[in-house]
Amino acid sequence: MIVAIDGPAGAGKSSASRLLAARLGLALVDTGALYRCVALAARDQGVAWDDDARLAGLVPTLALSFGWRGGEPRVYLGGRDVTAAIRDPEISRGASTASARRSVRDGLFDLQRRLGREAPGGAVLEGRDIGTVVFPDADAKFFLTADPRVRAGRRLAELVGRGVATTLAAVLTEQEQRDHDDENRAVAPLRRAPDAEPIDTTALSLDEVVATMERSLRRRGLIP
Ligand code: DC
């Protein structure tokens, strides 16, 4: 079973994907982490985040994988645990730039398909274009949204929790720019697939979001 979860940053995709995957015993594929790894590797190797020719050469050389440690999902790049490093604000900007490049998206396409297909029992994939581009044939698709201020508030809490000094206003401004870029880029723009179920998470708890997804999967006979 393939479950696609798309939506803008701060809509609650990561938490919901994680809990849904754990409850259903499915693998979890955080595709944003793959774009972040590309940005990190590019920076480390002196490759500009918009240098298509060099990015196209770099992406296939990257050994990207997911794992768990102490009950927490981890991301590995060439055997190195980069889970924390890829959340750095500089790498977030790099991932935003690199993810708009066709060289990078094409380079990650097969890997995403493979990670989903090879997972025993199936996978929950979260990203921006899972239901539209990577798995247009997914068994179930959800598109999460939330009020922009609520999304920014969640992001602020996450950043402050990691010791990053910032403000709600700064997060909101950067979020608006990111939303605009993601929705208007030429390649795989952020868009709800026509057959994706929209879920507005503004006033929902994490449990309520996941319960909504489970009800939908049950209604369609995908889970008992
Ligand atoms: O979800 P995230 O913030 O970790 O994603 C990092 C960046 O990658 C963000 O700018 C959106 C982009 N992205 C994308 O273009 N397509 C995906 N499937 C996942 C993420």
Side-chain angles (χ1 to χ4, degrees), residues 53-127:
R54 293 189 66 196
L55 287 169
L58 174 71
V59 174
T61 68
L62 303 178
L64 301 165
S65 60
F66 294 101
W68 293 85
R69 206 182 58 205
E72 294 293 316
R74 315 298 301 181
V75 186
Y76 299 94
L77 172 59
R80 166 180 159 220
D81 185 337
V82 295
T83 313
I86 59 170
R87 299 282 146 199
D88 191 85
E90 184 202 354
I91 298 306
S92 298
R93 282 193 295 278
S96 185
T97 304
S99 65
R101 314 304 300 189
R102 186 176 287 285
S103 54
V104 173
R105 303 204 77 87
D106 286 354
L108 290 177
F109 180 83
D110 286 341
L111 173 64
Q112 294 173 78
R113 292 279 302 179
R114 208 165 59 240
L115 288 169
R117 281 199 170 141
E118 290 178 358
V124 175
L125 291 98
E126 64 136 315

Side-chain angles (χ1 to χ4, degrees), residues 141-160:
K141 303 179 185 179
F142 299 101
F143 194 86
L144 270 52
T145 56
D147 176 84
R149 289 190 73 83
V150 170
R151 289 168 48 211
R154 290 171 181 164
R155 177 93 184 110
L156 179 68
E158 183 198 328
L159 288 169
V160 169

Side-chain angles (χ1 to χ4, degrees), residues 6-7 9 13-14 30-33 35-36 87 92-93 95-97 99-100 105 112 126-130 134 178 182 185 188:
D6 291 304
K13 298 186 303 294
S14 298
D30 170 5
T31 63
Y35 290 96
R36 289 171 177 275
R87 299 282 146 199
S92 298
R93 282 193 295 278
S96 185
T97 304
S99 65
R105 303 204 77 87
Q112 294 173 78
E126 64 136 315
R128 303 292 191 287
D129 64 336
I130 306 304
V134 180
R178 188 90 59 85
D182 286 350
R185 68 185 176 208

